Amino acid sequence: MKLQFKVQQYQTEAVDAVVNVFEGQPFADGVKYRIDPGKGASTTLLEDAGLRNAEIALTPPQLLNNVHSLQRARGLTLSKDLRDPVKKSAAPVNLDIEMETGTGKTYVYIKTIMELHKRYGWSKYIVVVPSIAIREGVKKSFDVTAEHFQQMYGTKPRSFVYNSSQLHELERFSSDAGVQVMIINIQA
């Protein structure tokens, strides 16, 4: 039995809201870096090249302006800044995306990943979940929706669950082109 997915307008609007926070970010596909080959390893530069996402080129004020535009359009209170109000020492940008239970959050963030890749070239993602049970559900969602996203975007996310005994998956994550998603629970 093949599952059919119906594109919901509210989900598309949620994806667009997140992606539009980065409006003005230049597209950059696969920024290369050198992977540490380890002690005693002999590899060529091509064999040990990794791919990473481009840095966010927008300044915090530009990002905040984008957030304000989205908030105004939805009649929301404007954020004072992009920092986490509780964790003052956190990264300079902290974005919270909230959706009601049962609205398709997992589908929305998978589609958001695909849109971020399409619009900005970002291809490396880490999904952190609170428990092993949720981790397994998220992995299943990636597997079940893969063909659907292949049809929509011409590519599908390659996802894997982090396992400390299978570190070759991390190497593949860093060196493979295309959308790569590592799913990890907080305890790991």
Side-chain angles (χ1 to χ4, degrees):
M1 182 174 124
K2 184 176 171 183
L3 293 175
Q4 298 291 322
F5 294 93
K6 182 179 177 189
V7 176
Q8 302 285 342
Q9 185 60 34
Y10 72 91
Q11 292 174 329
T12 299
E13 289 171 9
V15 171
D16 288 340
V18 174
V19 174
N20 289 339
V21 166
F22 303 100
E23 187 70 38
Q25 172 74 19
F27 183 90
D29 193 17
V31 176
K32 292 187 179 187
Y33 71 96
R34 186 170 186 274
I35 296 174
D36 182 356
K39 292 183 179 180
S42 62
T43 59
T44 66
L45 190 56
L46 291 177
E47 290 176 42
D48 62 1
L51 300 170
R52 65 174 179 82
N53 293 336
E55 299 288 331
I56 296 174
L58 303 174
T59 64
Q62 289 172 311
L63 287 169
L64 186 58
N65 186 50
N66 288 349
V67 169
H68 284 168
S69 294
L70 294 163
Q71 290 170 328
R72 276 189 210 95
R74 288 158 181 78
L76 300 171
T77 304
L78 299 185
S79 300
K80 290 180 178 47
D81 62 33
L82 297 174
R83 292 187 182 275
D84 185 317
V86 177
K87 301 174 188 172
K88 296 294 183 188
S89 63
V93 176
N94 183 61
L95 303 172
D96 287 333
I97 296 99
E98 299 177 6
M99 291 178 68
E100 297 289 332
T101 300
T103 56
K105 288 182 291 296
T106 305
Y107 178 88
V108 167
Y109 70 70
I110 296 171
K111 187 173 178 179
T112 301
I113 286 169
M114 300 307 292
E115 278 294 316
L116 288 168
H117 175 68
K118 177 183 169 185
R119 295 190 199 181
Y120 307 118
W122 295 331
S123 61
K124 308 298 179 190
Y125 299 89
I126 301 173
V127 176
V128 182
V129 297
S131 69
I132 292 171
I134 292 174
R135 182 192 72 195
E136 295 306 313
V138 167
K139 174 61 173 137
K140 185 69 173 173
S141 293
F142 271 94
D143 294 344
V144 167
T145 59
E147 188 176 319
H148 169 70
F149 287 114
Q150 173 74 42
Q151 290 172 350
M152 285 179 73
Y153 292 96
T155 188
K156 58 186 172 186
R158 181 192 169 277
S159 64
F160 72 99
V161 172
Y162 171 79
N163 182 334
S164 62
S165 66
Q166 296 178 344
L167 295 179
H168 66 280
E169 291 286 352
L170 289 176
E171 184 176 336
R172 186 182 315 177
F173 172 81
S174 67
S175 61
D176 282 0
V179 179
Q180 304 289 317
V181 181
M182 175 172 47
I183 306 164
I184 187 169
N185 55 295
I186 291 172
Q187 296 82 5

